[in-house]
Amino acid sequence: MRPTTPITIAALSVAIAGMLFAQTSSAKPPVSTALPCGDVVANSFAASPRKHDDSVRASAQKGLNFLTEATLAWQKSNDCMGCHVQGVTGEALAVGRHHQYEVADQDIDAVFTGILSLPGGLRRADQIMHSEKGASLAFGGASLARYDKWVDEKYGDDLMKVASDLLAEQGETGEIVKAANRGIAKGPLQVTYQAIQTWQQAYGRSADDRWLTAIAKAEGYIQQQVQGWRKTPTADLQHVNYALLGLLAAGIGANEKVAVRLRDTLLAAQQKDGGFPEATTGGTSSPLATGQT
């Protein structure tokens, strides 16, 4: 198998997740869905199935197969929990299972064993990775939220513990503070979005209003960041992506002014080859940025 890195696995995971969310869905997810924009994409096609669904599903299945193989190989050779590897792959496999793709029980179980029990895993005392506990919790929590919502409830206690641990990492202004940009997380916007996903599922499981309070604070932080871009626009397209994903996950409408403004920023960045660069000012198309967008 060709060598794979955490970044390339993450890029593939994001791209595959985008394909999976684009599949026609006959059932609308509940209001507390961890990623409302997926609901928007899926239901926009529900009334008129596309001619090429079979080829899209075949492509996504091939991607899931490669992603699983690459992730488990990385896990075996590194023997640790990798935020960019099992964290993002766990989300993709849960989404795949939800859309009735072939995701073997032993494979999804192995990935979540990595998230929870390997060195650096969420059940271990050595959980803090790369001095970025917030990033480890956020990646793992987002995967657990997807699994709990769409696969089964066997990791429910882990989900609730991680959701509580993330509360301790939330700053006064709403962001997840222990998540510097050191190659693991793309700064506080990314992990705050992931925390919102986790808290949404924790609320769905418990109906405890403290999760709504945390989500509201996190939304306030993202809104503040976006407002600041009116004066000094961000040069990082991924920040725009995470801001939009985070606001939608928090529950804003896709047609609210702030969402439309962010969407227009993304559309304006599309390159002639159809891809999206990592910079709002243009550049070479990036698989990761394109999958997110």
Side-chain angles (χ1 to χ4, degrees):
M1 188 182 73
R2 76 192 73 173
T4 50
T5 68
I7 293 295
T8 57
I9 292 174
L12 182 59
S13 300
V14 170
I16 291 172
M19 296 173 72
L20 296 174
F21 270 116
Q23 301 306 304
T24 302
S25 174
S26 60
K28 184 175 181 180
V31 173
S32 63
T33 181
L35 212 167
C37 62
D39 180 23
V40 172
V41 173
N43 285 289
S44 66
F45 293 107
S48 55
R50 292 161 294 172
K51 296 179 179 179
H52 303 295
D53 280 351
D54 288 346
S55 62
V56 172
R57 286 188 66 86
S59 178
Q61 183 67 62
K62 287 181 180 179
L64 279 172
N65 294 345
F66 176 82
L67 179 64
T68 301
E69 180 184 359
T71 298
L72 294 180
W74 186 94
Q75 180 169 297
K76 182 178 180 180
S77 62
N78 289 275
D79 191 35
C80 71
M81 187 279 202
C83 300
H84 276 157
V85 185
Q86 298 100 323
V88 187
T89 296
E91 288 195 77
L93 295 183
V95 175
R97 176 66 67 84
H98 173 62
H99 286 288
Q100 299 180 338
Y101 284 83
E102 294 179 9
V103 178
D105 288 342
Q106 65 267 26
D107 291 337
I108 197 168
D109 288 346
V111 169
F112 277 87
T113 295
I115 291 172
L116 295 168
S117 301
L118 287 182
L122 298 179
R123 288 178 178 171
R124 295 178 56 124
D126 57 357
Q127 170 190 322
I128 301 176
M129 299 179 62
H130 309 285
S131 302
E132 293 194 17
K133 183 177 181 180
S136 178
L137 289 170
F139 277 89
S143 287
L144 289 168
R146 298 270 199 228
Y147 188 99
D148 190 73
K149 181 178 180 60
W150 285 332
V151 182
D152 60 49
E153 299 180 353
K154 70 179 179 182
Y155 299 131
D157 290 344
D158 294 295
L159 168 70
M160 300 306 289
K161 182 181 184 303
V162 172
S164 295
D165 288 344
L166 280 167
L167 282 181
E169 303 298 320
Q170 189 174 33
E172 289 297 321
T173 56
E175 79 277 24
I176 302 300
V177 294
K178 293 182 180 178
N181 185 2
R182 298 178 183 173
I184 301 172
K186 192 68 176 178
L189 274 172
Q190 178 181 359
V191 292
T192 300
Y193 152 57
Q194 291 170 314
I196 291 172
Q197 290 179 274
T198 307
W199 292 328
Q200 282 282 17
Q201 187 59 21
Y203 177 74
R205 172 176 276 275
S206 67
D208 188 332
D209 285 348
R210 67 175 175 150
W211 308 119
L212 297 182
T213 300
I215 291 168
K217 286 179 62 178
E219 179 189 346
Y221 163 73
I222 297 174
Q223 292 274 16
Q224 184 181 43
Q225 297 302 302
V226 174
Q227 185 64 27
W229 294 341
R230 283 182 170 273
K231 183 178 181 180
T232 307
T234 179
D236 196 319
L237 197 76
Q238 289 189 66
H239 285 163
V240 180
N241 277 315
Y242 286 125
L244 182 54
L245 288 166
L247 292 174
L248 290 171
I252 74 161
N255 292 321
E256 290 188 31
K257 288 183 178 180
V258 62
V260 172
R261 188 164 73 250
L262 293 172
R263 183 184 66 201
D264 289 347
T265 299
L266 295 174
L267 290 173
Q270 189 169 29
Q271 304 298 287
K272 291 182 178 179
D273 61 6
F276 291 82
E278 293 189 8
T280 56
T281 52
T284 302
S285 293
S286 157
L288 185 61
T290 300
Q292 289 169 339
T293 308

